[in-house]
Amino acid sequence: MLYYLFEFLEAKYQLPGAQLFEYISFRSAMAILLSLLISTIYGKRIIIYLQTKQIGESVRELGLQGQTEKAGTPTMGGLIIIIATLIPVLLLAKLENIYVILLIITTIWMGAIGFLDDYIKTFKKDKEGLPGKFKILGQVGLGLIVGCVMYFHDGITVKEKTNSEDVITQEMMLGDKKLPEMGPSQKNLTTTIPFVKNNEFDYSKIISWISPDLAKYAWIIFIPIVIIIVTAVSNGANLTDGVDGLAAGSSAIIVLTLGIFAWVSGNIIFSDYLNIMYIPDSGEMTIYITAFTGALVGFLWYNTYPAQVFMGDTGSLTIGGIIAVLAIASRKELLIPILCGIFLVENLSVILQVSWFKYTKKRFGEGRRIFLMSPLHHHYQKKGHHESKIVVRFWIVGIFLAILTVVTLKLR
């Protein structure tokens, strides 16, 4: 909203300084500052409100050190993250931008599912919360929306560099420098694939090799892939939320990395220099990303050990959904196994533990375990490591994976 206000003031009255709001870098800086202020200052008020309503965590006895002390800690703290993200976005972003719209829908959609789950756990005293099938249904629904928008919406396009005289070129100037010439906007299903020289992959090739005419049915492949990604990353973030600060800190690292990708992909100069696809209008996601990062870091003020508030499914499901959509929108979803390696390992530890237990119980009559406990962070707790040490070491691994992911821009 402030963006449109200052745009009007600049056009009508040439107000000094109003032109700053045209720059993504300035609005991104303002977004992260505002979200940090909201999450740290008003976050405390939300925590006090949750305490007065007795919205506390009901802890199951798992035999973990320090677990009983956490009983009664306010949950639904994901509301802090959601509020601290959406307010700066609504004030500073271009609200007609399709990427921003998609991210706002994702936040509200997944936030509602997580809130319902936490509400059932807290007020209905049902420790299982929302049945898993309804969570999956909600995640699939979001994946369907995202997949359809990415495939069918006319505003989601890419441009490729060209030296041809026969195509429409972009003849803009930046100071005394001519911007790279780009062909017309085109709709395709191209994405980035890491560690490959020509690092672009078109999903339509999965079926078009049979017949070129089948390329128009690529949505049959693309939309299910989007659904799987949204569901997997959302559940991964949910499983990672098990010790104080782990999910929020790991997610902040991931989101900041995706912010780099969104910014360079939406900038014609840097996308040309790095030889990656130029995605028009995607740079506007940077405002959302910086607001989201500020909200996560501000939430950590109260969520680091010993936590004064838990994010609950309201936060964890929302975080996972947003990360998935950011990766898909910036066409970096195939980098998720690297960038979201923490989420992936947490997911795999649960899958392997459950599968091996069921297999050995069927074969030997007694269930056996690979880990002392899953998800993986609980395994290290069982080994006697303090949760603060576990969290910081997971963050270090997350930073390493983030750097490796960024390096894939040029490592081919």
Side-chain angles (χ1 to χ4, degrees):
M1 296 176 187
L2 287 178
Y3 168 79
Y4 298 103
L5 173 62
F6 281 94
E7 184 183 46
F8 169 77
L9 293 175
E10 166 64 21
K12 188 76 173 178
Y13 303 106
Q14 290 76 51
L15 181 71
Q19 197 172 10
L20 283 172
F21 281 80
E22 294 183 11
Y23 296 98
I24 288 175
S25 55
F26 175 77
R27 287 186 285 129
S28 296
M30 293 293 292
I32 195 168
L33 288 173
L34 185 56
S35 63
L36 274 169
L37 288 172
I38 293 171
S39 55
T40 52
I41 295 173
Y42 290 97
K44 183 63 176 178
R45 297 185 183 184
I46 293 173
I47 293 171
I48 293 171
Y49 175 80
L50 293 173
Q51 288 173 330
T52 58
K53 295 295 181 181
Q54 296 183 332
I55 304 175
E57 182 77 1
S58 178
V59 177
R60 290 183 295 179
E61 181 55 50
L62 300 173
L64 297 172
Q65 184 179 5
Q67 180 189 12
T68 54
E69 288 85 348
K70 296 186 179 185
T73 302
T75 187
M76 289 191 184
L79 291 171
I80 298 171
I81 299 171
I82 293 171
I83 293 169
T85 299
L86 289 181
I87 291 176
V89 168
L90 293 174
L91 288 174
L92 297 165
K94 294 181 181 178
L95 299 180
E96 76 275 14
N97 183 282
I98 183 58
Y99 296 106
V100 173
I101 293 171
L102 200 56
L103 287 166
I104 291 173
I105 291 172
T106 299
T107 305
I108 296 171
W109 185 286
M110 295 306 295
I113 295 171
F115 180 85
L116 183 58
D117 182 67
D118 288 334
Y119 180 86
I120 293 172
K121 289 178 182 176
T122 305
F123 293 100
K124 302 298 182 182
K125 306 301 179 184
D126 184 352
K127 293 182 179 181
E128 298 301 320
L130 186 68
K133 60 183 179 182
F134 292 114
K135 286 186 187 177
I136 296 295
L137 186 62
Q139 292 163 338
V140 169
L142 177 62
L144 185 62
I145 292 170
V146 174
C148 289
V149 170
M150 289 293 297
Y151 186 83
F152 294 108
H153 196 280
D154 293 333
I156 295 180
T157 59
V158 298
K159 286 188 178 183
E160 295 180 355
K161 187 175 179 180
T162 179
N163 295 316
S164 173
E165 298 290 339
D166 301 325
V167 298
I168 301 172
T169 57
Q170 187 169 355
E171 298 287 351
M172 294 191 295
M173 301 291 289
L174 184 64
D176 58 350
K177 295 181 180 179
K178 183 179 176 182
L179 293 180
E181 296 182 347
M182 293 286 174
S185 297
Q186 55 181 302
K187 287 202 63 69
N188 60 40
L189 295 179
T190 305
T191 190
T192 303
I193 185 168
F195 307 118
V196 177
K197 186 174 182 180
N198 298 316
N199 67 336
E200 293 180 3
F201 173 75
D202 193 334
Y203 287 108
S204 64
K205 291 182 180 179
I206 296 175
I207 58 174
S208 64
W209 65 272
I210 303 173
S211 170
D213 294 335
L214 292 176
K216 60 185 177 182
Y217 298 109
W219 61 270
I220 297 174
I221 302 293
F222 177 71
I223 293 177
I225 290 174
V226 171
I227 291 172
I228 291 169
I229 291 170
V230 170
T231 304
V233 178
S234 182
N235 284 326
N238 188 238
L239 290 172
T240 304
D241 181 33
V243 290
D244 299 348
L246 179 57
S250 301
S251 298
I253 295 166
I254 293 168
V255 171
L256 199 57
T257 307
L258 288 171
I260 295 172
F261 286 129
W263 190 64
V264 297
S265 297
N267 186 292
I268 194 171
I269 300 293
F270 285 103
S271 61
D272 175 65
Y273 174 75
L274 294 170
N275 194 27
I276 60 176
M277 69 179 77
Y278 170 52
I279 310 174
D281 302 322
S282 66
E284 198 67 22
M285 287 192 292
T286 312
I287 287 89
Y288 191 99
I289 290 167
T290 52
F292 188 40
T293 303
L296 288 169
V297 173
F299 179 75
L300 274 174
W301 185 274
Y302 302 105
N303 186 237
T304 49
Y305 181 85
Q308 296 173 253
V309 65
F310 298 140
M311 66 171 65
D313 282 17
T314 305
S316 59
L317 289 177
T318 304
I319 287 172
I322 292 172
I323 288 173
V325 174
L326 284 171
I328 293 164
S330 57
R331 307 196 181 223
K332 302 295 183 290
E333 67 272 16
L334 297 184
L335 295 173
I336 284 177
I338 304 173
L339 179 59
C340 300
I342 299 295
F343 293 174
L344 177 63
V345 169
E346 296 276 37
N347 254 333
L348 287 176
S349 68
V350 173
I351 294 170
L352 291 173
Q353 183 88 320
V354 173
S355 300
W356 183 248
F357 186 87
K358 289 182 177 179
Y359 171 75
T360 53
K361 187 173 184 179
K362 183 177 180 181
R363 180 163 184 178
F364 304 110
E366 180 185 11
R368 300 174 184 175
R369 293 175 173 84
I370 301 172
F371 306 102
L372 296 177
M373 188 175 176
S374 65
L376 187 62
H377 55 263
H378 287 325
H379 169 76
Y380 290 111
Q381 279 187 285
K382 284 283 191 178
K383 292 187 73 173
H385 295 287
H386 193 277
E387 61 180 277
S388 292
K389 180 175 285 188
I390 296 169
V391 168
V392 172
R393 287 180 174 177
F394 270 59
W395 287 356
I396 292 170
V397 173
I399 292 170
F400 171 80
L401 293 173
I403 294 170
L404 181 61
T405 305
V406 173
V407 168
T408 63
L409 286 172
K410 295 300 288 183
L411 187 62
R412 307 174 188 172

